[in-house]
Amino acid sequence: MNKTVLKTKELLDLFLDCERLTLPEMVARLRMPKTSVYRMAQSLVALGFLQKQGDHYELGLSLLTFGMLVAERLDLRRVALPVMERLKEETKEAVNLVVRDGDEALYIEKVETSEPVRVYTKVGRRAPLYAGACPRVLLAFMAEADRERYVEQVKLVKIAKCTVTDKQVLRRLLEESRNRGYTVSYSELENYSAAVAVPIFNHEGATVAGLSVAGPEQRFSPDDVARIVPRLKQAAMDISRELGFQGKG
């Protein structure tokens, strides 16, 4: 692979966590010669991928253009969005759509709740497959061999107060999720947050995404979950049907 392209990608990746960076800050993080980082940064500014404000660099508008095109061309997102908006109106809670990207879940769409107390999740956020309802539902409905391989290899890191850190507990939760068709989480990715999630299937019957309803723990009592689950399952099935799924719910 081309080393210059890889280094340029590393530079852009710095802005996933930092909104603005100076040249010395980029040099310190990349551990590269200052002249090399400066040349890469200036080239990215010329191309519109970065912009410079005073001594600080930040992401440029060209990336926004590409990002919008990717989002617009993603059939799953386009199909799911109107269903997600309906589900938000039915449940009054935020609705998230995630897909698997390697060993992580990637949030690709969200419909925010109108409630004043809410859980904030950004589109583009990543989470490990073992933590949180929506990522874990992707893991639960993976092929058995792939699922067990992931569980064997993954290191379970505590992210919030109730993150699952025991592999036997994780296996039990995955089995329960497969049996009942949904998964629930409390304070696994963010303290005092909760979520309920179900899988979305494509025309081949493979799990291609997870759909979740999320909000503060106090609004996700057992009665609340029982009320949400049928609506959530129906929404996921509606999306799956649009993607060509012919199986039973």
Side-chain angles (χ1 to χ4, degrees), residues 166-179:
D166 183 295
K167 291 191 177 182
Q168 287 306 111
V169 173
L170 177 60
R171 288 186 175 95
R172 176 175 56 79
L173 290 173
L174 294 172
E175 186 64 25
E176 289 176 357
S177 297
R178 289 181 65 85
N179 288 337

Side-chain angles (χ1 to χ4, degrees), residues 89-100:
E89 292 300 322
E90 292 175 352
T91 63
K92 308 303 179 187
E93 299 292 354
V95 181
N96 297 304
L97 182 69
V98 305
V99 295
R100 180 186 173 193

Side-chain angles (χ1 to χ4, degrees), residues 123-175:
V123 171
R125 177 183 183 175
R126 292 177 178 272
L129 293 173
Y130 63 83
C134 216
R136 194 162 60 241
V137 84
L138 297 175
L139 180 59
F141 285 86
M142 283 167 55
E144 183 177 357
D146 293 337
R147 183 172 67 252
E148 184 56 31
R149 188 180 304 114
Y150 172 87
V151 174
E152 282 290 332
Q153 295 175 354
V154 70
K155 180 180 179 181
L156 303 181
V157 178
K158 193 175 184 65
I159 301 169
K161 64 179 183 177
C162 294
T163 307
V164 178
T165 56
D166 183 295
K167 291 191 177 182
Q168 287 306 111
V169 173
L170 177 60
R171 288 186 175 95
R172 176 175 56 79
L173 290 173
L174 294 172
E175 186 64 25

